[in-house]
Amino acid sequence: MALDDRKSDFTFVGTRPNRPDGLDKVTGRAKFGADAYAPGMLHGAILRSPHAHARIVKIDASKAEAHKDVKAVVTRADFADVPFKPGLEGEFYNVLENVMAGEKALYDGHAVAAVAATSALAARDALKLIEVEYEVLPHVTDVDKAMAPDAPVIREGAADYSVPEGMHPNVVRYHESGHGDLEAGFAEADLIIEDSFVTEATHQGYIEPHACLAILGNDGKGELWCTTQGHWIAQKTCAALLGIETSQLRVTASEIGGGFGGKTTVFIEPVALALSRKANRPVKLVMTRSEVFRATGPTSSASMDVKIGMKKDGTISAAQGIFRLQGGAFPGAPGDMTAMCAFAPYNLTNVKQIGYDVMANRPKQAAYRAPGAPMGAFAVESVIDELCNKLGLDPVEVRLKNAAHEGTKASYGPTYERIGLVETLEAAKAHPHYSAPLKPGQGRGISCGFWFNHGGETSVSLALSEDGSAQVMVGTPDIGGSRASMALMAAEVLGIPYENIRVTIADTATLGYNDVSHGSRVTYASGLATIKAARHAVEKLCERAAAKWGIPVDAVKWENGCAVPSGPNAGDFDPMPLADITADMGRTGGPISGHFEATPEGAGVSFGTHIVDAEVDPETGKTSVTRYTVIQDAGKAIHPTYVEGQYQGGAAQGIGWALNEEYIYGEDGRLQNSIFLDYRIPVASDLPMIDTVIVEVPNPGHPFGVRGVGETGIVPPLAAIANAVSNAAGVRMKRLPMSPPRILAALKDNG
Amino acid sequence: MKKFHVTTTVNGDAVEYLCDPRETLLDCLRDKLNLTGAKEGCGTGDCGACSVTVDGRLVCSCLMLGVEAEGKQIETVEGIADGDILHPLQKKMIEYAALQCGICTPGILVAAKSLLEKNPNPTEEETRYWLAGNLCRCTGYDKIIRAVMDTAAEMREAS
Amino acid sequence: MDYHSPASFAEASALAANATGITRFLAGGTDVLVQLRSELVTPDTLIDIKKINGVRDITRNADGSWTLGIAATGAEMSEHPELGRDWPGVVEAMDLIGSTQVQGRATPTGNLCNGSPAADSVPAMVAAGVTVTVTGRDGTREVAVEDIPTGPGKTSLAKGELISAVNIPARGENGGDAYLRFIPRTEMDIAVVGVGVNLRLDGDTITEARVSLGAVAPTVLLVEDCAKAIIGSTLDDASMEALAAAASAACNPIDDKRGTIAFRTEVAGVLAKRAAKIAYARAKGEDA
């Protein structure tokens, strides 16, 4: 048989059909995390620490346990004893510590006990009956203060081998990379700018709070329904924390109401399972919004120093950055990612970056869309903008001059294959937005952004039905329309209509392991796996056709949904459609399915360039974003409408991060703004339409050229908006969010 | 604790339930009537995912008690389609890909339907302000606003 | 929590007077339910006053004044064909609170009784000279809006007392009012600063003025110095600057998650000028 590995002209891919789950989602029948019910179900609730840092002296749950409506109370003693290891090596331990405090409560909102009762109200009431004695300890929530010599120690021995001698125990991982001779590079510069930047922690802000329904018996067998980006990681982690075998826990992913990285780990799921095991009844546990903010993972806060030298012609001669990221009371802040992404868009001779992972008394950070990258881009692209301003250079031309391309040695080490940064910059230069006149009081900003993208462990099964339709089982929860993309790719290979393919997110019992829906990997990796699984099925279809025709299988090829004879000696037969082959597959060799399991490695890095216009009220410091254009390389857009949606969503989240969103802690270490009233995500009236340009520079690592598109879109906005605001206000903004009080204060300081 | 017997009408159906006075209308819709289309995104009236109409008035069902529903006419996302015929807004939301995760979609649909009943020809600004209480974290609102405005245009032509 | 839905204010008052523990009245519920849900305040007694006859009425009286029922919502005020023509500042202030959904439930009475210094409708009502009728066990009394709040979350209402009507004065000739607030977003925030201005003209000259500030002190302020700054002027640049200075000088704000002392103090002056311009234009019968 003949199958081209690479494809460039498409029938289904690139079209914009309705998503398969559309009807369910517009009628209210789609089942999200909190929409499940089980007979005999109890409701859980979690008691949380009001202190930022405190030793738990005693927990007395006797009154709660004695209450008639309460069927179980759990504390740390009800979980497995997972061994402590330093750094991220001990991730099961870290997750256990996070889902239920051990000796100490490490942040405001840290879980200390949980109950299951006959109603949600009864469970909440029962929490008040649990008495916890705390010994309050000194706390620290700021990253720079957490690194200072006199900072309270959050946990001794958490640092891994990478941390240099002499650092505070709160510094738990260290990253350093780069190449060239910095000193020589800075000596060549005509202008050097060195500055410091700060970003606050922001939350992914998914509208659906964490929710699950858990059933676990003393026989070690369990069922878990939860809203998650990755149910296999939930399965593996919950099993470890409960001390049961992984395969005995079946996890089903609900429809997911947003994740953006924040649903890549577990919070309440192990607690619900522990309650269920103790009560021997199903337990539903749903977080309140306040719990989501206080106790699930926001992104890291960051403190950064960037120094860049530029020649008069715009050439960057040297660049260095130091990135300190605070990730809560556990290892995991992506200081390494920030460092590696910060200068990645540029072809630099001399570059060095250092990243720190720092613990503080805040909730354990979780991934948030290109974790770590937006902060670094904010610092680096702000300095580049300032260099352009000072040297009188066009910001797009300067970025083009320094842009990385195929063959560039990346700042973080590898050599780029075919990439699309230059194409996005050329598109920006040509876009009407870039040359549109600005009104008084407005400023324009641009920024580039980079994200690695990811492959990850992936399994897909595809089964054909007798009537010629196909079902595809994928294991990556659909967080933004991926079932449509999978169906389009399967349709492309099988040659049957999109509508004849049903894509299901399989549970953990019905498919092999799948990594989380993160790293912009779904359309790339599950897409690649779907294509390969479909091709596997096509091989079998060709075999059946060859047998029917009595010709060798390599004389049959697959074209437009039909087996056709191929080659000079194949003979003359009419094309045999897929449905004709599947109709009697039971008699011609049995069911026809295709499978693929692997860890694809060719994710293909991604770049974007954003253009933003902002207007600043000089009397109040209030910013409005008046125009926004996203230009990004998608490799190949499978469903262009959903690619646009990713671009727009990333930009909107970036606008929130840049202007108004922040975690605000009081002197007491408590989170001050744990509701949407004061954690201010953009509302519809805050935003303009967000224009998009899809650039397609095919990824050599994917059969159709796909690059992930989900994350890169949040990398440029912080910097692009900061540049626009700084240019509008006439003063450089170095701290996010650029809230009106900060802008007004900067304007005043600037006279 | 004393429970209250409430008789009300949801999507044209007469229903009744027993509720604790602390339970919200949203709790009652979801937990007692199994109408889980309305979502709890915040519980504080800030996200709009629980939007319903009560006697024709758009409200957050998390900001109304279950006991207050006595004798009211309540409409939820489950009542928007006419049998198997989708409301034009529902069709446009799918067509425009005006949803990614879909958790805000029920609230957006209830709110947008309420807008178009009051103002068949809203400007972009009016649409954005009307929907300001419906948070969407996925889409940046662009495709939602386009879908609502295009629906309005189509409904005006059809009438 | 006990829930009651009395049929009269007298009954409501008696219920509250005889209740033990925490009592709350339920009108629109947009504050009561948030506090209940977040377990900030779980009342022992909740008295729903929406089943009392006439509480949703918006009535223009013979003398041109207005009486609002205590359950008339922001949406109903905005939709009223005439109220907004007389008192655009009061109606717009109420309309700024929360979302469309919140507007369907929230009431100015609730906004007032919640006792927040950042309540949007309150500075507008204070500027407009609005009073409320308070019903207690001994009958009713009329109280100026500015005398209701006594501190964050606190009011001057005694046990067993509740507001039973909102009385807005007759607009009269050559008057105009306006309310502006500052929020970081375009919607859905609590005011960081709010300014209500109500004035009357004789020709081009301001003869009467009331200026009220929100979110810059423990209670909403009625600032006489602001009024003095513009009375007798034609709202020229000098009087505008005097107004802004008086507004800023009256501020006694706090630093919190919503704004800083410096920001609130500065922006109070900015908004006072902007609101005064709008009120002035309205008094002249111009579109604003």
Side-chain angles (χ1 to χ4, degrees):
Chain A
M1 63 174 287
L3 278 174
D4 287 335
D5 189 55
R6 313 260 337 130
K7 201 161 163 56
S8 57
D9 57 326
F10 297 98
T11 305
F12 298 99
V13 163
T15 62
R16 301 170 184 244
N18 289 343
R19 63 191 290 161
D21 54 329
L23 184 73
D24 284 350
K25 288 195 170 158
V26 299
T27 53
R29 73 168 76 130
K31 277 178 79 178
F32 289 85
D35 299 338
Y37 170 84
M41 183 175 88
L42 300 171
H43 296 262
I46 296 178
L47 185 67
R48 297 182 180 280
S49 166
H51 304 296
H53 196 191
R55 190 169 309 284
I56 299 169
V57 179
K58 197 172 104 187
I59 300 176
D60 179 356
S62 55
K63 284 181 194 150
E65 281 164 341
H67 195 281
K68 66 176 173 49
D69 294 338
V70 175
K71 304 301 174 188
V73 178
V74 299
T75 61
R76 179 62 173 267
D78 295 280
F79 292 87
D81 192 10
V82 177
F84 167 74
K85 291 179 206 160
L88 283 175
E89 290 301 303
E91 193 54 11
F92 282 154
Y93 176 85
N94 293 329
V95 174
L96 174 59
E97 271 286 295
N98 191 36
V99 303
M100 191 57 72
E103 291 173 7
K104 292 201 294 182
L106 298 170
Y107 57 91
D108 166 39
H110 198 168
V112 296
V115 303
T118 50
S119 74
L121 273 179
R124 270 180 6 223
D125 288 344
L127 294 182
K128 296 176 197 125
L129 301 175
I130 300 175
E131 292 164 14
V132 184
E133 188 185 329
Y134 294 101
E135 176 197 340
V136 177
L137 302 170
H139 66 271
V140 61
T141 55
D142 175 80
V143 61
D144 291 313
K145 287 180 186 159
M147 293 175 80
D150 60 345
V153 175
I154 290 160
R155 192 205 308 156
E156 288 285 2
D160 74 5
Y161 63 90
S162 65
V163 179
E165 288 280 318
M167 301 218 68
H168 191 284
N170 291 344
V171 180
V172 288
R173 287 186 307 143
Y174 174 85
H175 168 93
E176 183 180 324
S177 58
H179 56 251
D181 181 342
L182 274 188
E183 210 173 314
F186 283 119
E188 283 175 41
D190 292 308
L191 180 63
I192 296 169
I193 291 182
E194 184 172 8
D195 226 326
S196 299
F197 298 84
V198 173
T199 65
E200 242 318 328
T202 55
H203 196 274
Q204 298 82 354
Y206 32 83
I207 306 300
E208 180 200 30
H210 298 261
C212 67
L213 173 57
I215 306 172
L216 180 61
N218 265 331
D219 58 357
K221 293 187 176 63
E223 302 275 336
L224 176 67
W225 159 275
C226 60
T227 174
T228 180
Q229 288 174 248
H231 35 314
W232 275 268
I233 193 77
Q235 178 197 33
K236 194 161 74 173
T237 311
C238 288
L241 270 49
L242 275 298
I244 60 173
E245 283 178 1
T246 303
S247 300
Q248 298 297 343
L249 178 64
R250 183 171 75 131
V251 185
T252 305
S254 72
E255 290 294 334
I256 174 171
F260 315 108
K263 290 177 182 166
T264 54
T265 181
V266 295
F267 298 99
I268 55 173
E269 295 83 354
V271 180
L273 285 163
L275 286 167
S276 174
R277 181 164 61 186
K278 207 159 182 176
N280 199 22
R281 283 169 70 171
V283 174
K284 180 170 172 174
L285 197 43
V286 182
M287 275 193 175
T288 64
R289 175 54 53 185
S290 177
E291 287 182 287
V292 172
F293 279 120
R294 287 171 71 207
T296 69
T299 188
S300 300
S301 61
S303 155
M304 306 171 284
D305 307 322
V306 168
K307 180 180 177 184
I308 300 176
M310 192 176 276
K311 296 185 194 173
K312 279 182 184 153
D313 69 353
T315 306
I316 297 173
S317 61
Q320 75 169 17
I322 300 168
F323 306 95
R324 295 170 289 267
L325 272 80
Q326 171 284 128
F330 305 87
D336 49 354
M337 300 287 179
T338 308
M340 287 193 276
C341 294
F343 299 107
Y346 302 111
N347 181 11
L348 302 173
T349 313
N350 309 300
V351 60
K352 182 179 176 182
Q353 52 260 334
I354 291 171
Y356 294 95
D357 173 358
V358 185
M359 302 204 301
N361 293 111
R362 295 196 189 203
K364 186 180 194 299
Q365 70 84 37
Y368 179 21
R369 216 167 192 157
M375 304 82 142
F378 163 57
V380 168
E381 298 279 327
S382 291
V383 172
I384 293 176
D385 194 63
E386 197 62 24
L387 285 161
C388 292
N389 287 351
K390 292 257 161 68
L391 292 171
L393 299 168
D394 178 88
V396 169
E397 292 295 350
V398 164
R399 286 170 174 85
L400 268 171
K401 193 174 193 69
N402 294 287
H405 45 74
E406 188 172 359
T408 294
K409 182 176 168 57
S411 55
Y412 62 97
T415 299
Y416 289 128
E417 293 185 30
R418 187 80 178 87
I419 55 173
L421 174 60
V422 168
E423 286 79 355
T424 68
L425 281 161
E426 293 288 0
K429 200 164 80 172
H431 197 282
H433 183 174
Y434 193 58
S435 49
L438 287 167
K439 290 182 191 144
Q442 293 183 339
R444 179 163 296 149
I446 78 143
S447 174
C448 296
F450 161 87
W451 182 244
F452 305 99
N453 289 338
H454 184 53
E457 293 171 68
T458 310
S459 310
V460 165
S461 277
L462 178 150
L464 299 176
S465 304
E466 282 186 350
D467 62 0
S469 62
Q471 54 187 53
V472 183
M473 279 74 74
V474 302
T476 40
D478 179 349
I479 52 178
S482 62
R483 275 166 290 196
S485 308
M486 298 305 132
L488 282 167
M489 286 185 267
E492 194 70 48
V493 176
L494 296 173
I496 60 173
Y498 168 84
E499 291 74 17
N500 292 5
I501 298 167
R502 175 158 183 159
V503 181
T504 300
I505 311 303
D507 64 58
T508 58
T510 51
L511 190 66
Y513 187 85
N514 275 275
D515 203 353
V516 178
S517 292
H518 70 164
S520 301
R521 76 178 209 91
V522 172
T523 313
Y524 167 72
S526 282
L528 180 145
T530 298
I531 292 166
K532 302 256 184 182
R535 285 178 178 175
H536 187 208
V538 164
E539 283 174 26
K540 295 178 188 173
L541 289 163
C542 288
E543 284 167 14
R544 304 288 169 96
K548 285 189 183 196
W549 287 331
I551 63 174
V553 68
D554 58 7
V556 178
K557 64 175 181 179
W558 194 255
E559 244 176 38
N560 299 322
C562 299
V564 292
S566 167
N569 305 317
D572 190 16
F573 301 100
D574 287 340
M576 189 180 293
L578 184 144
D580 288 2
I581 302 172
T582 54
D584 58 1
M585 63 186 175
R587 293 188 302 278
T588 62
I592 300 177
S593 299
H595 305 277
F596 181 82
E597 298 90 21
T599 304
E601 299 285 357
V605 301
S606 158
F607 294 90
T609 299
H610 291 198
I611 314 171
V612 189
D613 295 349
E615 192 168 306
V616 176
D617 180 341
E619 289 187 314
T620 64
K622 181 164 174 165
T623 297
S624 48
V625 174
T626 54
R627 188 168 180 182
Y628 204 110
T629 304
V630 179
I631 303 156
Q632 188 179 316
D633 177 17
K636 174 67 195 172
I638 302 298
H639 192 306
T641 313
Y642 284 99
V643 173
E644 292 163 9
Q646 290 297 315
Y647 292 4
Q648 290 164 336
Q653 288 186 322
I655 291 170
W657 196 340
L659 296 179
N660 280 311
E661 292 179 36
E662 61 177 317
Y663 263 48
I664 303 170
Y665 280 92
E667 288 293 313
D668 58 4
R670 289 180 186 158
L671 184 61
Q672 304 282 300
N673 57 333
S674 66
I675 58 174
F676 275 133
L677 181 65
D678 287 306
Y679 185 87
R680 297 183 277 261
I681 77 170
V683 302
S685 48
D686 290 340
L687 301 182
M689 291 297 185
I690 297 168
D691 288 340
T692 56
V693 178
I694 300 174
V695 169
E696 293 186 321
V697 177
N699 170 22
H702 185 276
F704 295 170
V706 167
R707 295 177 200 271
V709 296
E711 290 169 291
T712 305
I714 203 173
V715 184
L718 313 190
I721 297 160
N723 291 341
V725 168
S726 299
N727 291 330
V731 53
R732 178 60 53 185
M733 297 303 299
K734 300 172 196 170
R735 186 185 183 96
L736 299 186
M738 295 176 284
S739 59
R742 288 201 181 116
I743 292 179
L744 194 62
L747 285 167
K748 294 264 159 200
D749 289 347
N750 204 36
Chain B
M1 197 157 298
K2 187 190 165 197
K3 291 205 173 186
F4 285 76
H5 178 232
V6 175
T7 304
T8 186
T9 305
V10 180
N11 299 326
D13 297 336
V15 298
E16 50 191 324
Y17 52 79
L18 282 177
C19 69
D20 182 293
R22 288 183 292 165
E23 287 177 301
T24 63
L25 173 60
L26 178 62
D27 294 334
C28 296
L29 289 170
R30 291 179 54 85
D31 297 341
K32 300 176 195 302
L33 302 176
N34 287 321
L35 290 167
T36 55
K39 308 299 180 190
E40 179 161 319
C42 68
T44 51
D46 294 308
C47 82
C50 66
S51 296
V52 301
T53 60
V54 176
D55 290 346
R57 180 70 73 183
L58 181 66
V59 302
C60 286
S61 58
C62 77
L63 286 188
M64 178 168 160
L65 294 174
V67 287
E68 293 182 84
E70 177 68 38
K72 306 282 188 195
Q73 296 282 334
I74 294 160
E75 297 285 333
T76 72
V77 68
E78 287 94 342
I80 290 182
D82 179 9
D84 65 346
I85 302 164
L86 291 184
H87 187 279
L89 271 168
Q90 293 174 306
K91 282 193 242 173
K92 287 284 180 204
M93 288 287 284
I94 299 173
E95 188 185 315
Y96 272 76
L99 55 134
Q100 283 174 31
C101 78
I103 195 83
C104 72
T105 308
I108 298 264
L109 282 165
V110 171
K113 179 167 176 276
S114 164
L115 167 66
L116 299 189
E117 282 163 5
K118 188 182 153 88
N119 179 359
N121 189 13
T123 63
E124 181 188 331
E125 190 180 22
E126 285 166 344
T127 307
R128 285 184 181 277
Y129 275 86
W130 184 273
L131 294 177
N134 291 89
L135 299 181
C136 169
R137 191 59 158 172
C138 293
T139 64
Y141 304 103
D142 183 302
K143 294 183 191 299
I144 293 172
I145 301 299
R146 290 180 199 276
V148 173
M149 295 191 63
D150 191 32
T151 307
E154 195 180 279
M155 288 174 73
R156 287 195 304 275
E157 269 173 37
S159 65
Chain C
M1 185 175 85
D2 287 330
Y3 171 85
H4 304 274
S5 49
S8 71
F9 285 109
E11 191 188 335
S13 168
L15 276 166
N18 296 324
T20 53
I22 301 169
T23 299
R24 284 286 185 277
F25 294 100
L26 178 68
T30 53
D31 289 311
V32 170
L33 264 78
V34 172
Q35 291 161 6
L36 178 66
R37 172 72 183 166
S38 59
E39 300 191 330
L40 279 174
V41 182
T42 305
D44 298 290
T45 305
L46 186 67
I47 304 171
D48 185 347
I49 45 183
K50 289 192 294 298
K51 294 196 178 152
I52 299 170
N53 261 344
V55 291
R56 300 180 76 133
D57 294 350
I58 298 176
T59 313
R60 177 177 230 148
N61 303 311
D63 64 352
S65 67
W66 293 84
T67 304
L68 303 188
I70 50 81
T73 63
E76 287 161 346
M77 289 170 67
S78 296
E79 288 164 7
H80 195 281
E82 288 157 42
L83 179 63
R85 253 182 266 158
D86 273 12
W87 292 103
V90 172
V91 172
E92 287 166 6
M94 190 61 212
D95 186 50
L96 285 171
I97 299 167
S99 59
T100 318
Q101 287 84 340
V102 167
Q103 284 295 306
R105 296 266 297 168
T107 67
T109 307
N111 200 216
L112 176 60
C113 292
N114 189 45
S116 166
D120 284 304
S121 72
V122 178
M125 289 197 288
V126 169
V130 173
T131 65
V132 291
T133 305
V134 174
T135 297
R137 276 194 296 184
D138 306 325
T140 64
R141 60 192 178 105
E142 192 159 334
V143 182
V145 164
E146 57 267 32
D147 293 332
I148 294 291
T150 54
K154 295 196 174 74
T155 70
S156 57
L157 297 173
K159 185 172 167 68
E161 283 192 324
L162 74 159
I163 292 175
S164 50
V166 175
N167 314 301
I168 309 177
R171 171 64 279 182
E173 294 300 301
N174 305 318
D177 77 327
Y179 173 80
L180 292 176
R181 67 167 182 188
F182 184 87
I183 55 170
R185 291 181 292 187
T186 51
E187 273 281 8
M188 303 304 291
D189 292 327
I190 300 290
V192 183
V193 179
V195 180
V197 176
N198 174 32
L199 47 78
R200 194 181 306 284
L201 303 181
D202 180 359
D204 290 341
T205 305
I206 298 169
T207 55
E208 295 170 27
R210 283 169 69 90
V211 179
S212 176
L213 304 181
V216 295
T219 61
V220 168
L221 303 175
L222 175 64
V223 186
E224 295 223 1
D225 286 349
C226 286
K228 280 185 200 154
I230 54 173
I231 290 173
S233 82
T234 57
L235 211 61
D236 54 301
D237 288 350
S239 63
M240 289 269 271
E241 288 315 313
L243 168 66
S248 293
C251 292
N252 175 28
I254 54 168
D255 277 328
D256 71 0
K257 60 194 171 192
R258 293 170 187 154
T260 60
I261 292 169
F263 181 82
R264 287 185 156 112
T265 306
E266 172 82 16
V267 171
V270 172
L271 292 194
K273 289 192 284 185
R274 292 180 182 178
K277 267 177 101 166
I278 298 169
Y280 188 87
R282 284 176 174 163
K284 296 213 40 136
E286 295 161 6
D287 277 345

